[in-house]
Amino acid sequence: MLDIEATAAGLVDLFGAGQSVALLTTTNSAAASSVPELDIPFALDEAGPRRHNTSLERLATQQWRIAMSTRLCNRHGVPIASPMVEEFAAGLAGKMIQPADPDYDTARQIWNAAIDRHPGLIVRCLGVADVIQAVRFARANDLLVAVRGGGHNVAGRALCDDGIVIDLSAMRGVLVDARTRTVQVQGGAMLGDLDRETHLHGLAVPTGVVSKTGVAGLTLGGGVGWLVRKHGLSCDNVISFEVVTAAGDLVSAGAEENSDLFWALRGGGGNFGIVTCFRFRAQPISMVLGGLIAHPRERAGEMLRFYRDFMATAPEELTAYAAMVTTPDGMPAVAMIGCWCGDMAEGERVLAPLRAYGPPALDAIQPMPFPAMQGLLNMAFPDRSHNYWKASFVPKLTDEVIDLLVEHGNRMQSALSGVVVEFYGGAPGRVSASESAFTQRQAEYNIGITAQWSNPAESAKHIAWARAMYEALEPYSNGNHFLNFQSEAGDDVIRRSFGKNYDRLAEVKRKYDPTNFFSLNQNIKAAAA
């Protein structure tokens, strides 16, 4: 039975005087909307009760309903007793955040505003010991587990409802050994954290294209970026991993130790444990020649054909993507953004035809530090925009595929949305598909469909656009999909994308996570015993 007077007094402390409240007697957030509400139709203030009449009071009511209805529950919906949670918290070096805490809403936000989930507990770890303790607590209490690194996965796998989020976002350390050209990176680091430290030594690790992306999720899913054609995928540049397993054990995985786990982590996603530290090979790269070239949208078909033919013979030092986008000043455009990581004079020569064709409405290619290159697209993916993405690999960028891209690209209804063509031909294809879990080695073109918008009321139409384009593209796909680029992927898509590697991955899953403790990922089912 709720003690109304005690609860009301607590609300004054929580929300401040003059706020209204509504009390719920449920412990499960999924059922919150259907549980009868005990509404207190007055605001609490030191002078006594008064009628509820402000929007701020209604907001406080809603916040309190969420706080009361969201509880840490096990996978069967049974609440976890407070003394157990408090005992767990006492052993943490980091911070435990619960639904009633004032920083809860901030802590549960990620980059993609389309994801709105309410964990029962967020554990912001300060070190490996915290991660181990959180895993063991979650296992002992049969909790649903989400793992947050950078929080940039478009599907929102960093969050869950009612379970526990093991949050590594405070673990962002980077240690560079310039002599051996190796880098140790903690599991919560962003690409910008990594680039800032390596650049001091004239080095770079092949990662992604947006500096706000998390190193962990990017690498575990393969990892493609501005250096991919010359230096391969991010996962191809990993020397070893430090991993907390589903049993709560700390293990190392490399070519000579736990080699099966090392194989699976390079492209197999977060199925097998929490990577608390990566050790990468770095490349001697400091300055690059890069930037954006843009043409009016009406030239999209012509420019995409030119891009295809130009990249077919371009040296591997050049990674360049093409996209149908809208410029910041509102002009529908077809753009190419490239990064040359070799000799600057040679880069000027190679890029000259690309820059002369048209001529372009905008040519912003110039020498720049590699970290600046990594930040060029940050503004194209603003925090707290709504996102829904799909992607497919196509073996050839035929005229028919280009015509389809132009047709559907011109149906975009948001200036933030885009259609991206990414060419990976080069170093990734020289690695055997069986050498790591990442299978899509021979599919040179990835087509990314990025629906992005600001107004949540418009979600349905933007999602429908992305799905329609994806379905139209599927007959031309090779059946594989870049799983890091998917807002949703069913078991059939996951199985097809891992191809011949799936059964081997299922065996590794059975060894390291037979109960599917780590399930919020590109999930692989453990092989039968």
Side-chain angles (χ1 to χ4, degrees), residues 211-298:
S211 65
K212 299 181 292 183
T213 306
V215 172
L218 177 98
T219 303
L220 295 174
V224 295
W226 298 126
L227 306 178
V228 64
R229 295 192 62 225
K230 180 65 176 178
H231 298 291
L233 304 171
S234 301
C235 69
D236 296 338
N237 288 272
V238 176
I239 300 169
S240 63
F241 302 89
E242 178 186 81
V243 188
V244 177
T245 68
D249 298 326
L250 182 65
V251 303
S252 294
E256 304 297 328
E257 183 179 13
N258 296 311
S259 58
D260 55 347
L261 182 58
F262 179 63
W263 175 86
L265 289 169
R266 289 178 295 145
N271 276 282
F272 312 101
I274 301 176
V275 178
T276 54
C277 188
F278 299 77
R279 187 166 178 252
F280 289 100
R281 282 184 297 273
Q283 304 297 331
I285 296 170
S286 179
M287 297 292 293
V288 297
L289 182 64
L292 183 74
I293 295 174
H295 296 259
R297 177 74 64 78
E298 56 264 26

Side-chain angles (χ1 to χ4, degrees), residues 228-232 316 423-431 441 444:
V228 64
R229 295 192 62 225
K230 180 65 176 178
H231 298 291
E316 292 178 3
F423 179 66
Y424 301 153
R430 291 195 292 274
V431 177
R441 299 284 181 173
E444 295 188 333

